[in-house]
Amino acid sequence: MTRMTDERIPRRLLLAAAAAGAVGTLPAPSAAGAAVIPAADSGRDPVPALRRAAHPLRTTEPGADPADLRPLGSLIGDAKVVGLGEATHGSHEFFAMKDRVFRHLVEEKGFTTFALEMSWPAGLRIDTYVQGGPGTARQAVGEALAGSPWEREEFVRLVQWMRDHNRRRPGHKVHFMGDDIGYPRVGDDLFERVTGYVQRHRPELLPRFTELYTGLRPLDDSAAYLRKPLADRQRLASAAQQAMNLLGRHHGTYGGELGWAVQHARSIAQTAGFLSHDITDPAVIPAAMRFRDRVMAENVAWWQRHTGHRMLVSAHNGHVAYVPDTPLTHPVSQGGVLRDMLGEEYLAVGFTFTQGSFLSQEKSEGPWKRFTVGAAGPGTNEHTLDRVRHDDYFLDLRDAPPAARAWLNTSRPTRTIGTEYPVPLTDIRLTHSYGALIHLHRIRAADKLCEPDVHDDTP
């Protein structure tokens, strides 16, 4: 999600909305950049077992020979939805690896949708380009992801590949979706998608929709909208839900134009519902975060059921995990809800890293800045994972050797960096959070979006 744009709003007013990943707020042993943490492990060294279980990665860059990814495809098996996390929001290797994995899953496993923790309408904007719409990949990314950590060259490359794939393979088209609430702007286009459907197919309902959406549209200035009294925002959220319910009464299946209209109306209601929380009150933050992660999971499930697509869901580790990293502030994870809904058809894959740079914000506000951390210290998950002989590799946590599994099943400090830095390390039990894990030795900050030139996205 993008950051707030009105500095007159109190600094933490939109912490929940801005947190596009789990921001650690629980007590932890040390800051995320600390070099040394007292070791807490004893007993048998797990590293030899981890080495036997590790599948080395030749590169994180897309376009390389996919032979090293075939074991990853095997462990994904028949999963319909794969959540692929990131330990930071702004690192090249995480973004590049997601691109590489998605291409492999498209070509080898029949995947057809890349979902991102961005707003539903922003996802529609990028997908319009992917399906052959006007403009360039850089324009689509710049417009849809403006101000977010994903407004980067790595996503331009992914979006351009998706469009090129559709041009080459019209019988196996891929799609881009946003599964998040519409913050900071839903945009009037989404309202038009709903009311346009009503005008064409149920014109007798149009006056009622106009009434219900009065005061909501256009929901494109979150700072102004959040200055409305809480009671007004709650009333508007109720009206948006009524509009969705009114349309949904005539909606018996996931298919057809009506199904899409109901989902667009649902996105409006989700955004209004989230912004009806009084997130100036710290006690309300857990309820707001519970609402948001459930929304993301429900949108993914809707898309999968509506389209039948196999999906890669990209989000912070804390969102794709089976259990939340910071349960006091984020009591529910998107991945946990998806596992409840899909069972073994959902697989969570986490990322860890040892050292390098990334993008984050200071106190969850201001520009995205580059930060650097050194090697993780003893006692952390990353310190032991980095002792495996491969710089970059992945593990199937579900069938790791007993000696490795015992270690993986123990909670210990781990880096999980979202929209705020510095933050404490968070205790994570890897086998409870993920079905598989990708470990990278070194990362670097993602690449700033370049200015377009005359050669940009030439077909």
Side-chain angles (χ1 to χ4, degrees):
M1 289 186 161
T2 54
R3 54 190 164 81
M4 55 184 287
T5 56
D6 189 332
E7 295 302 328
R8 292 174 294 176
I9 303 296
R11 176 172 64 82
R12 291 191 177 272
L13 177 61
L14 296 181
L15 174 60
V23 177
T25 58
L26 301 179
S30 182
V36 177
I37 294 176
D41 296 318
S42 60
R44 186 175 178 181
D45 185 359
V47 172
L50 290 170
R51 285 174 180 162
R52 291 194 299 273
H55 298 278
L57 289 167
R58 296 175 183 173
T59 180
T60 58
E61 295 303 311
D65 185 330
D68 57 329
L69 292 182
R70 292 197 178 108
L72 181 63
S74 296
L75 74 85
I76 286 171
D78 296 327
K80 292 181 179 178
V81 178
V82 174
L84 185 52
E86 52 198 40
T88 76
H89 269 324
S91 295
H92 169 82
E93 287 75 14
F94 295 148
F95 295 167
M97 189 65 186
K98 292 184 185 200
D99 186 349
R100 186 175 186 228
V101 169
F102 182 64
R103 296 187 193 192
H104 179 69
L105 295 181
V106 169
E107 300 292 350
E108 300 295 332
K109 304 287 287 185
F111 278 57
T112 42
T113 292
F114 185 97
L116 180 62
E117 57 168 309
M118 59 185 285
S119 75
W120 176 263
L124 295 174
R125 166 67 183 94
I126 291 181
D127 194 55
T128 296
Y129 173 77
V130 167
Q131 303 312 315
T136 68
R138 189 165 282 105
Q139 288 171 341
V141 169
E143 292 170 10
L145 302 179
S148 79
W150 307 290
E151 186 190 9
R152 305 292 153 186
E153 283 296 317
E154 290 83 357
F155 275 90
V156 171
R157 181 166 57 175
L158 168 64
V159 169
Q160 186 61 54
W161 179 85
M162 293 175 73
R163 179 179 169 111
D164 292 343
H165 170 87
N166 287 348
R167 188 183 297 122
R168 296 190 310 268
R169 301 275 304 277
H172 181 214
K173 288 196 171 184
V174 295
H175 290 265
F176 197 106
M177 78 160 288
D179 60 35
D180 211 340
I181 60 174
Y183 175 86
R185 56 184 181 274
V186 170
D188 210 46
D189 177 66
L190 200 59
F191 288 93
E192 291 296 339
R193 290 175 185 260
V194 176
T195 57
Y197 174 87
V198 172
Q199 187 172 31
R200 290 190 302 275
H201 299 283
R202 299 300 305 272
E204 73 279 8
L205 298 178
L206 188 58
R208 179 59 173 155
F209 272 83
T210 301
E211 177 186 0
L212 290 170
Y213 282 158
T214 298
L216 272 167
R217 61 183 304 180
L219 188 51
D220 59 0
D221 185 346
S222 58
Y225 187 86
L226 283 164
R227 284 195 290 268
K228 295 177 184 288
L230 180 62
D232 287 353
R233 285 185 273 138
Q234 292 171 341
R235 175 182 57 79
L236 291 169
S238 176
Q241 186 65 40
Q242 290 177 57
M244 193 273 283
N245 292 341
L246 182 61
L247 197 57
R249 265 182 222 156
H250 310 281
H251 172 52
T253 68
Y254 283 96
E257 187 182 1
L258 175 57
W260 283 103
V262 172
Q263 178 61 19
H264 298 326
R266 182 178 292 111
S267 176
I268 294 169
Q270 289 168 345
T271 300
F274 180 81
L275 296 177
S276 71
H277 290 84
D278 182 13
I279 52 180
T280 61
D281 181 357
V284 176
I285 295 297
M289 291 293 92
R290 180 189 300 272
F291 181 93
R292 180 182 169 221
D293 272 71
R294 286 195 177 278
V295 160
M296 291 194 290
E298 289 166 2
N299 287 338
V300 168
W302 180 89
W303 183 286
Q304 199 283 318
R305 291 165 177 166
H306 180 82
T307 64
H309 292 184
R310 300 184 74 181
M311 305 174 63
L312 180 69
V313 177
S314 171
H316 191 276
N317 279 349
H319 288 309
V320 305
Y322 299 133
V323 295
D325 289 349
T326 53
L328 292 184
T329 54
H330 296 69
V332 169
S333 66
Q334 177 188 19
V337 178
L338 284 170
R339 184 170 63 170
D340 289 343
M341 298 174 77
L342 302 177
E344 292 185 358
E345 292 181 340
Y346 175 72
L347 174 67
V349 181
F351 266 106
T352 55
F353 75 101
T354 300
Q355 60 188 308
S357 60
F358 53 88
L359 301 172
S360 190
Q361 297 171 296
E362 293 180 331
K363 301 177 181 178
S364 293
E365 65 180 9
W368 290 88
K369 300 170 61 176
R370 182 179 181 272
F371 296 91
T372 301
V373 293
T380 63
N381 274 320
E382 294 90 343
H383 181 266
T384 299
L385 291 168
D386 204 54
R387 291 171 56 207
V388 175
R389 65 170 61 91
H390 315 295
D391 280 352
D392 302 333
Y393 62 92
F394 60 91
L395 295 165
D396 187 340
L397 303 181
R398 299 164 300 181
D399 66 355
R405 188 166 183 82
W407 181 85
L408 293 165
N409 199 36
T410 301
S411 180
R412 57 178 58 78
T414 310
R415 283 174 172 150
T416 175
I417 301 167
T419 58
E420 182 173 355
Y421 188 80
V423 290
L425 297 175
T426 301
D427 283 344
I428 294 176
R429 187 178 302 183
L430 295 173
T431 51
H432 283 205
S433 293
Y434 318 111
L437 182 73
I438 301 174
H439 178 74
L440 306 180
H441 174 67
R442 186 182 298 273
I443 62 173
R444 66 173 178 83
D447 296 324
K448 181 179 178 181
L449 200 67
C450 298
E451 292 295 328
D453 59 44
V454 295
H455 302 293
D456 188 31
D457 299 334
T458 301

